Amino acid sequence: MTKLSVNINKLATLRNSRGGNVPNLVQFAMDIESFGAQGITIHPRPDERHIKYQDARDLKKVVTTEFNIEGNPVPKFVDLVLEVRPTQVTLVPDAEDAITSNAGWDTVKHKDFLVNIIKTFKENGIRTSIFVDPKVDMIKGAAKTGTDRIELYTESFAENFTKGKKNEGIQDFVDAAQMAHQLGLGINAGHDLSLDNIKFFKDNIPHLLEVSIGHALICESIYLGLENVVNMYLHRLK
């Protein structure tokens, strides 16, 4: 079975919009694990606009499944990961002002940088993954960095799926996954995966170890749980 790691960034965004500690990220992470998820993912950014660096420290104390920290390996991020020592670090080349991740690494152009960063993390017992576009040459480049895994950037798949073109471009992901497996790399995936498209993606991508899902999962949870909560209020108001 492909593992599900739940990205809780959006819960942090909701908390920060009001101040205080509601929703409580630590409790949510514990609950998500108790519901069966096999991992918790966070993506702290330098401005801490959603996940705060202290959240990583607090979550480390309670997460009993896989703890995955994503981010651009700027010095502050590297220091945090080395302090917390999660199960996995996923390297993402996002700009500081990016709303969300929007591109994979050029693993050829940035090979030397990635080699050094990955060596540091692996020496500290942290599994590494590189966020990449579904391009065979980028997969081959990733294999030369020493990374343990790659994470396929799935926005293009999700966009095509929404347009009713679910088979358009899917072969790129299949080829990338097959190449990664051939080169001894583990395969993760994430970005805009949802209840609508996840089964098709899983059924078509070979050797898929893990998916990281946040925005869609949280939105779906709000909607699919809305009737239950409204009726709980009505019951108490009778």
Side-chain angles (χ1 to χ4, degrees):
M1 177 180 175
T2 301
K3 291 183 177 181
L4 170 65
S5 186
V6 177
N7 186 316
I8 58 175
N9 274 32
K10 283 297 180 293
L11 294 172
T13 301
L14 180 61
R15 175 199 62 189
N16 296 351
S17 70
R18 190 69 178 265
N21 195 35
V22 178
N24 184 314
L25 253 62
V26 168
Q27 186 61 53
F28 258 91
M30 294 168 64
D31 290 341
I32 288 167
E33 287 185 314
S34 73
F35 298 152
Q38 297 108 332
I40 299 295
T41 291
I42 59 172
H43 189 146
R45 287 184 165 83
D47 61 6
E48 299 185 280
R49 63 180 180 271
H50 33 63
I51 292 292
K52 299 182 182 300
Y53 276 42
Q54 186 58 42
D55 292 329
R57 301 180 180 101
D58 295 340
L59 288 164
K60 171 65 175 180
K61 300 172 185 176
V62 301
V63 172
T64 59
T65 59
E66 291 191 357
F67 188 23
N68 175 43
I69 302 182
E70 300 180 341
N72 194 330
V74 297
K76 183 180 178 182
F77 177 86
V78 173
D79 290 343
L80 176 71
V81 172
L82 292 177
E83 174 191 347
V84 173
R85 299 200 181 194
T87 315
Q88 176 176 267
V89 58
T90 301
L91 308 181
V92 184
D94 53 356
E96 286 193 22
D97 59 350
I99 295 176
T100 186
S101 305
N102 55 20
W105 285 96
D106 183 331
T107 58
V108 176
K109 179 179 179 181
H110 298 289
K111 176 189 172 184
D112 291 342
F113 172 74
L114 290 168
V115 165
N116 290 330
I117 290 292
I118 288 167
K119 182 174 182 290
T120 298
F121 288 138
K122 291 181 70 173
E123 286 176 344
N124 284 271
I126 303 167
R127 189 174 72 219
T128 59
S129 180
I130 300 177
F131 197 60
V132 292
D133 296 312
K135 299 178 180 178
V136 169
D137 57 339
M138 292 298 104
I139 304 301
K140 290 179 179 179
K144 295 177 181 178
T145 67
T147 191
D148 300 297
R149 297 188 181 186
I150 50 94
E151 179 173 328
L152 294 172
Y153 173 38
T154 52
E155 182 182 19
S156 61
F157 158 75
E159 185 176 346
N160 284 330
F161 193 96
T162 300
K163 294 176 179 177
K165 303 175 181 179
K166 61 184 181 181
N167 288 306
E168 188 170 318
I170 192 67
Q171 191 60 46
D172 292 339
F173 288 91
V174 173
D175 293 344
Q178 289 176 334
M179 178 57 67
H181 182 69
Q182 180 181 326
L183 294 172
L185 300 176
I187 302 154
N188 298 341
H191 203 89
D192 288 346
L193 295 175
S194 69
L195 283 175
D196 290 334
N197 62 37
I198 188 62
K199 186 177 188 307
F200 181 84
F201 189 80
K202 167 63 173 66
D203 288 347
N204 282 274
I205 306 306
H207 314 295
L208 185 61
L209 296 176
E210 177 183 295
V211 293
S212 175
I213 304 179
H215 183 77
L217 188 150
I218 299 303
C219 291
E220 290 157 351
S221 298
I222 292 171
Y223 188 79
L224 295 175
L226 187 59
E227 181 179 5
N228 184 45
V229 173
V230 168
N231 278 278
M232 289 173 70
Y233 272 97
L234 292 174
H235 178 73
R236 285 160 175 73
L237 290 170
K238 285 182 180 178

